[in-house]
Each structure stands twice: as C-alpha cells, then as structure tokens.
Amino acid sequence: MATSLNNMATLHRSLGDLTKAHQLYCHSLDIREKVYGHHHPATAESYNNIALVLSELGQLVEAIKMSEQCCMVAKNSYEPDHPELLNFFGNYGIILKANGKLVEARVHLTNAVEGLRNKGIESSHIWIRKFMDHLSDLSIQKPNSSNLGGNIKPDAMMPRNSPPLPPGTPNTCSP
C-alpha cells in the first residue's frame, strides 16, 4: 500500500500537482513508519520524497530538515558508498542549493557524483545527469558572504548536526 501511494505521489509530482503529491507521500510515510519504524531504508525514501516536494513548494526550511532526517536514516541503513545513500545526499545538495547554501550544495553534489561514478554507474544515469546539471548551475552562480555556509569539509557527507525529527509523523505532514 505504501509503495502504491508513493508511486501515485510521484505521478502527481511529475504532473505538477505538488500539494497532492505531498499528501500522498505523507500518507505513505505514515504507513512506512508504522510498519518499518523510523530508521528503515523505505522510511528514508519517504523522507527524501517529501523533502524534494517541500523544496519545490518553496518550504525550504522544512525541506532541509526532512532531507537531513533522510540522510541520517540512510547513513545508518546503507554502506557509505551505496548508490541510494549517494542519491539521497545529492538530493540534499539540490535542496541546499535552493536555499542559497551554494558551497555546501557543491560539496554534496560533487561527492554524490564522484561516489556514483566510483561505483561504476554510467555518466548517462539519471542521478548523475541531474546532479551534474545542478553543479553546472553552481558554476554560473557566485557565492557571497551570506551563503558560504561556514567551514565545509569535502569528505563530510553528513548534514550538519541537526537533531532528528521527533518520533511520529513529521510536522510537514500534519493535517
């Protein structure tokens, strides 16, 4: 059921109905949290999808929190070079970019692309192309003092030490 809801949400997102997509992703997350708990790869996928929709809806602060939750769960669920983990961190980079955190975004996008390539994933793969497009945008944009994002370590793939979301349904999914 959760997978079907997730697929329906992805369809609505691709059609531009972001509000309906958000609702369906949240419903899928509710089910996944009840079935698998908060620290399962399927739950991380839901956090990721909700984060991307929130970013597209312009709810950027909430999107960062949800993406950080996704990355924390995924980091504990996958090996450090697992493609799904790299995809989640690349998506986190996209959300950081939308928030104007260009240096941090570049680090996460670059690490995701390099990690995926190191796993033997072709440059034509959709994830690599997506992340490369965003990196290309960053090469045009010039960071200023308001979006440098502090001291960034290129080898640090984990989001800043933000606390995990409280147990239960994330507040962005509340009725």
Side-chain angles (χ1 to χ4, degrees), residues 21 34 56 58 61 70 89 94 99 135 139:
K34 288 175 185 156
E56 292 169 12
V61 172
C70 167
F89 277 107
I94 291 170
N99 275 272
L135 281 167
S139 68

Side-chain angles (χ1 to χ4, degrees), residues 89-130:
F89 277 107
N91 287 336
Y92 179 60
I94 291 170
I95 292 168
L96 289 169
K97 178 181 156 223
N99 275 272
K101 298 176 188 254
L102 305 183
V103 173
E104 286 182 81
R106 183 182 311 279
V107 169
H108 289 283
L109 290 164
T110 300
N111 287 343
V113 169
E114 289 175 1
L116 291 167
R117 285 182 174 158
N118 289 340
K119 290 297 283 184
I121 295 176
E122 298 288 328
S123 293
S124 60
H125 189 279
I126 190 166
W127 290 347
I128 291 178
R129 289 192 351 244
K130 173 177 66 172

Side-chain angles (χ1 to χ4, degrees), residues 137-156:
D137 290 346
L138 287 173
S139 68
I140 297 168
Q141 299 177 26
K142 300 295 182 210
N144 60 43
S145 59
S146 67
N147 60 18
L148 287 177
N151 294 331
I152 308 301
K153 298 176 185 170
D155 59 340

